[in-house]
Amino acid sequence: MSQEIESKFHVESLRIFDLIRSQKQIAGHNLTNQEKVAQYDVYFDTLNGQLFGQGKSFRLRQGCGQYAVTFKEKLTENHVRMEFEETITELQAQRLLDSDLTDVFQVKVIQTAISHLGTNRINPIFCLRNNREKWYLDSGLANLEICFDSIQYMDIGQSRFFEENELELELKEGDPEFHWKITNLLSQQYTLTPSFQSKYERGVKLLNVFG
């Protein structure tokens, strides 16, 4: 279990990514360790959106040859969530996609998600593909992960999709004040408006999942 502190901005033009990348620094601190990763996420909920209604989310992520399940719970502050994450096997991932919990219920993250649903069945709700470019910013007082995300939100049948770009800053360790300082600086420098929606909340809205 960990506390996740992050901020997000919807980015209308990829030119913003180019501008930040070309500067090679933010507030005098170098951007380092560029890494590109492809992520495929499936979000789960009940058909009437019980987790969504409680400000919670549960996802399966495939990336870098691994599968991981993550449960998140929104706290009182817009940018802060509690996060539980656990790696699972490919077979367990397939069982989960089939809504068959026989071989996966012992996974603690899955137990946590199910505990909020009562007797209702958990189902895949929508999926997304994210081409992510990661950078790191280390001030000595804090370490930030800065992500340029190009996201495609899709319904489970992949018959409808929406494409968006998002700039995400996550505090990996250190002083939260540094995170807010960089968030405010980027907002002002590039005229960006903060988004308080998680990717789950954004996908639900775009795809009108629960009507």
Side-chain angles (χ1 to χ4, degrees):
M1 179 179 68
S2 62
Q3 187 178 84
E4 178 187 69
I5 298 176
E6 65 179 20
S7 50
K8 301 172 184 282
F9 302 96
H10 289 307
V11 175
E12 296 296 330
S13 170
L14 292 175
R15 180 172 172 271
I16 298 297
F17 292 163
D18 292 336
L19 288 171
I20 297 172
R21 191 187 294 116
S22 67
Q23 294 296 313
K24 299 182 180 178
Q25 57 84 33
I26 301 173
H29 305 289
N30 292 332
L31 290 168
T32 62
N33 299 328
Q34 180 197 34
E35 180 184 359
K36 293 184 179 181
V37 295
Q39 299 170 333
Y40 180 72
D41 296 346
V42 179
Y43 285 89
F44 295 80
D45 207 328
T46 60
L47 294 179
N48 63 350
Q50 274 187 266
L51 291 178
F52 178 75
Q54 298 173 39
K56 301 175 174 65
S57 67
F58 175 58
R59 76 165 185 236
L60 167 67
R61 169 167 290 176
Q62 179 182 357
C64 301
Q66 291 189 319
Y67 296 85
V69 283
T70 305
F71 177 79
K72 295 186 182 184
E73 182 174 3
K74 185 183 291 185
L75 300 181
T76 52
E77 299 177 66
N78 281 319
H79 293 290
V80 182
R81 290 177 171 84
M82 295 303 298
E83 179 180 83
F84 307 79
E85 186 168 278
E86 195 169 347
T87 301
I88 62 174
T89 67
E90 183 176 359
L91 177 60
Q92 288 174 319
Q94 188 56 57
R95 289 277 195 268
L96 184 58
L97 289 168
D98 294 337
S99 298
D100 179 0
L101 303 183
T102 306
D103 296 326
V104 298
F105 192 73
Q106 72 273 20
V107 178
K108 290 183 179 179
V109 172
I110 296 177
Q111 288 180 10
T112 301
I114 297 300
S115 71
H116 295 277
L117 302 179
T119 59
N120 291 308
R121 180 184 174 92
I122 196 166
N123 298 275
I125 297 298
F126 72 84
C127 52
L128 67 82
R129 296 186 189 278
N130 183 17
N131 289 317
R132 167 168 283 186
E133 179 181 338
K134 295 197 293 187
W135 294 84
Y136 293 91
L137 192 73
D138 191 346
S139 71
L141 296 175
N143 188 7
L144 300 184
E145 182 179 87
I146 298 179
C147 299
F148 304 157
D149 289 343
S150 295
I151 311 160
Q152 186 178 66
Y153 295 93
M154 301 170 284
D155 63 13
I156 289 299
Q158 299 189 15
S159 61
R160 293 185 300 130
F161 66 89
F162 295 87
E163 295 181 340
E164 289 193 341
N165 303 304
E166 185 177 84
L167 173 63
E168 180 180 297
L169 289 75
E170 181 177 350
L171 178 68
K172 304 306 289 185
E173 61 180 354
D175 186 0
E177 288 303 316
F178 181 70
H179 173 268
W180 305 127
K181 173 186 173 181
I182 298 300
T183 296
N184 292 331
L185 187 150
L186 290 174
S187 178
Q188 294 169 14
Q189 185 171 351
Y190 298 102
T191 319
L192 299 172
T193 302
S195 169
F196 300 112
Q197 289 181 317
S198 66
K199 285 184 174 65
Y200 181 50
E201 292 166 333
R202 185 64 179 163
V204 166
K205 180 180 179 180
L206 289 172
L207 294 164
N208 193 28
V209 173
F210 302 119

